[in-house]
Amino acid sequence: MKQFLSFVRKEFYHIWRDKRTMFILLAMPVIQIIIFGFALTNEVKNARIAIFDQSHDAATAGLLTEISASKYFDIQANLHRQQDIDAIFKSGQAKMVIVLPANFQSDLQHLNQVNVQLIADASDPNTATTLINYASAVIRDYNQRLLQDQQIPYIINTQVRMLYNPQLKGAYSFVPGVMAMVLMLVCTMMTAITIVREKEMGTMEVMLVSPVQPLKIVTAKAVPYLLLSVVNIISILLLSVFVLDVPIKGNIVLLMGESILFTITCLSFGLFISAVTDSQQTAMFISLTGMFLPTVMLSGFMFPVENMPLPLQVISHAVPARWFYQVVRSVMIKGLDITGVWKETLILLGMTVFLLLLAIRKFKIRLA
Amino acid sequence: MRTLLFLLQKEFKQIFRDPGILRVIFMMPAMQLIVLPMAADYEVKNIKLAVVDHNRSTYTQTLINKITASGYFQLDQYTASYKEALHEMESDNADIILEIPLGFEKDFVKEQQAEVLIAVNAINGVKAGLGAAYLQSIITDYNQELRVKFVQLPRVNHTPAINVTYSNWFNPLMNYKFFMVPGILVILLTMVGSFLASLNIVKEKESGTIEQINVTPIKKYHFILGKLIPFWVLGLVILTIGLSIARIAYGIIPAGSLFTIYIFAAVYLLAVLGLGLLLSTYCATQQQAMLISFFMMMIFVLMSGLYTPIDSMPEWAQWITRFNPVSYFIEVMRMVVLKGSSLADISRHILIVLGFAVALNTWAVLSYRKRA
């Protein structure tokens, strides 16, 4: 035990000495939470649009005032010819063009009917759908106002309740995601690289001939990163509560416990990577392709898992971040207790044990 | 010139000697380009619906049929109470709860007014917003249908109506992959460019071989060009592979010219390589270099407009994206590949990225000299 502790101390000195790395490891979560918490949102607002008004009468003016007053749209240009539509899309200056026909007001008054055409740049399908939905709603409201005084009988009222996140803030789903990413980066990549580095420099051989068990040497390398991660978890939680206004609804002890469990899963993965690679570059690329991208893409934090084709849904079950993300959402945002997340907890636990065993096995082979 | 050729020969040999890295360079982008776009689908569909129908009349039955027939919702739960439904939502078996009160039918017929409750899991704000909107519009339609039954509407429509029609250009089938694949290709190019270049130089530092090169009569710019050119070539090769995969696997054929894409990519790679070079002059170990490039990469990728629209970001964040070379390339790729934008349309982007390339490389060369 004493041996082990002195090894841990040695590793701490290593990290502590490299101030630049230390700084990044501690500052990264802070910067990321702030940037992503505020900047990342799938919500569409201030979308650049253009107007092709062939009528220029009081009715179109009224409609356009309505549109420009909405926070969703930012009118960039007024077009004068049909060909301009193609040009403005190609130069990327507008995402949607609203085409108002000639004789708008008179058609509306005399024929009781007029057509508005929305043309969306569907190279981004999501934004296109959302913009068309928003614009249709604004036009419908305007239309409604025109026939305000008519009373309509037989109404089904819908009362909508937005649970867990009434203001529909993006941060509610990004905070758990960033937590997963940061923990994985610090634990998996840093652990993998530090150990492989010793191999690459040849210092691993030196340590392996010492009387200390190889497993202890390797674990000693992981411990400082575990502690660093705890500091990171705390700073992320503090920021999310006090800066982003994302409250912690569930039990904080449970949340910390789960985060530490996930940290250990990541450390195990890092140990495993270091066992199977020989160069820092390869270790980094495996952590990158094995962790970062799958985490962003498959954990459900960016894209809904249920939309993915079946093989990917199956693969996503093997991504630890998917389960951790679920746990953080359940505990932190929905406020569930352990009975709500025991399944995910067990899966993470299982993954950890499996990865650890795998790593140990590989290390033994190397020693033989 | 001869010195440079020898250096290039050396660099290429070094790259091709390591099969691990080679596999990473070629296999990783290929694999990711094939797999990742399939995962990237934001479209809101398959919303899990839980129904709490206290009324159980033909009215509510028709309404529920209408909802399930819309294609957006899958009816997963029929629960007896709201509490039970809420429990299903907590365990993520339901996204939306529709509760119909006991007196629904009577209220509607007698009071001419009835109420239903929609409760949405709003952790994912976008999904919640769209899901609620879909459900409400189905209910409104249904309401309209019922009203026609009860009220004899006049034959001629005397109320002014603005009809909205819409069309989706450039991607009429709304295929999300057309949107994601070009963007993912950019990320892969960037990773290979900046990461590999910076690691490569730092590796020489760490193993001490850079000292050896520094004492030879090789000029600094020879050394730097010797490092830049191989990765520049590799980058273009990866771009070619990526475009081929996009074509074969996803049927994406650029609407614009390939020439435009390559011109931009050539300039862009210079900028990204310059960044890698710059990182390498400031880092002493590969670990540092990786951590820093990873850190920057994360910000670059997430703030590039690949996943979330830049227009929706707050003003200060949009300023950050202006200094993010990745965001320019993603925009250009999408413009050229999907909309067929020409060289003239993207001239502003080219100039800005060229500016990055010049600035970053100059900075890198200057700070490299100081250290030698």
Side-chain angles (χ1 to χ4, degrees), chain A residues 18 20-21 24-25 28 31-32 35-36 38-46 48 85-86 89-92 95 108 112-126 129 132-133 136 139 142-143 147 150 152-165 168 172-173 181 185 189-190 193-194 197 200 225 280-281 284-285 288-289 292-293 296-298 302-304 306-309 312 326 329 333-334 336, chain B residues 21 24 28 32 35-36 38-43 45-46 82 86 89-90 92 104 108 112-123 125-128 130 132 136 139 142-143 147 150-151 157-171 174-176 179-180 191 195-196 199 203 206 282-283 285-288 290-292 294-295 298 302-303 307-309 311-314 316-317 335 338-341 345:
Chain A
D18 186 353
R20 202 178 287 161
T21 307
I24 294 181
L25 286 182
M28 183 159 49
I31 296 174
Q32 284 184 336
I35 290 183
F36 302 149
F38 284 114
L40 288 195
T41 161
N42 283 324
E43 198 193 335
V44 179
K45 53 190 177 199
N46 304 323
R48 287 169 295 173
I85 299 176
D86 194 55
F89 280 139
K90 282 193 174 156
S91 66
K95 302 235 188 259
L108 192 62
N112 281 323
Q113 188 109 311
V114 66
N115 289 313
V116 171
Q117 198 194 3
L118 306 175
I119 302 175
D121 173 358
S123 59
D124 178 350
N126 211 45
T129 319
I132 284 177
N133 278 341
S136 310
I139 295 169
Y142 178 72
N143 199 5
L147 21 113
Q150 284 161 316
I152 309 166
Y154 294 105
I155 295 178
I156 301 176
N157 291 316
T158 46
Q159 189 199 341
V160 180
R161 211 182 276 169
M162 293 292 179
L163 301 173
Y164 312 121
N165 179 11
L168 302 184
Y172 277 68
S173 54
M181 278 199 305
L185 176 60
M189 203 165 90
M190 294 306 285
I193 289 170
T194 358
R197 187 176 175 202
E200 214 175 38
Y225 292 106
Q280 291 185 61
Q281 288 197 8
M284 188 205 61
F285 269 103
L288 200 70
T289 44
F292 178 59
L293 282 165
V296 175
M297 308 290 294
L298 297 177
M302 277 286 181
F303 308 102
E306 62 268 23
N307 277 7
M308 296 173 195
L312 282 183
Q326 197 101 333
R329 277 189 357 161
I333 294 172
K334 293 187 191 168
L336 303 188
Chain B
I21 277 302
V24 160
M28 183 193 78
Q32 293 192 331
V35 174
L36 295 184
M38 289 195 264
D41 190 343
Y42 277 126
E43 203 193 321
K45 55 189 178 192
N46 304 325
Y82 179 76
L86 197 62
M89 189 181 278
E90 281 177 348
D92 272 331
F104 177 80
F108 187 76
Q112 303 197 354
Q113 192 148 327
E115 189 160 276
V116 294
L117 170 76
I118 299 173
V120 192
N121 175 355
I123 295 180
V126 179
K127 194 175 177 183
L130 280 177
Q136 271 180 301
I139 294 173
Y142 175 68
N143 193 359
R147 193 176 298 140
F150 283 90
V151 192
N157 184 9
H158 286 299
T159 50
I162 303 177
N163 301 319
V164 177
T165 57
Y166 60 86
S167 49
N168 293 307
W169 285 19
F170 308 116
N171 185 5
M174 305 293 263
N175 188 337
Y176 214 78
F179 176 62
M180 288 308 287
M191 279 192 190
F195 270 134
L196 286 184
L199 285 182
K203 194 178 175 186
E206 214 174 27
Y282 282 99
C283 294
T285 63
Q286 289 187 66
Q287 199 185 0
Q288 270 183 9
M290 280 175 217
L291 191 65
I292 296 178
F294 200 92
F295 178 55
M298 228 161 162
L302 291 177
M303 298 195 73
Y307 298 116
T308 60
D311 286 342
S312 310
M313 296 178 186
W316 59 266
M335 283 165 74
L338 290 160
K339 298 187 227 170
S341 303
D345 289 320

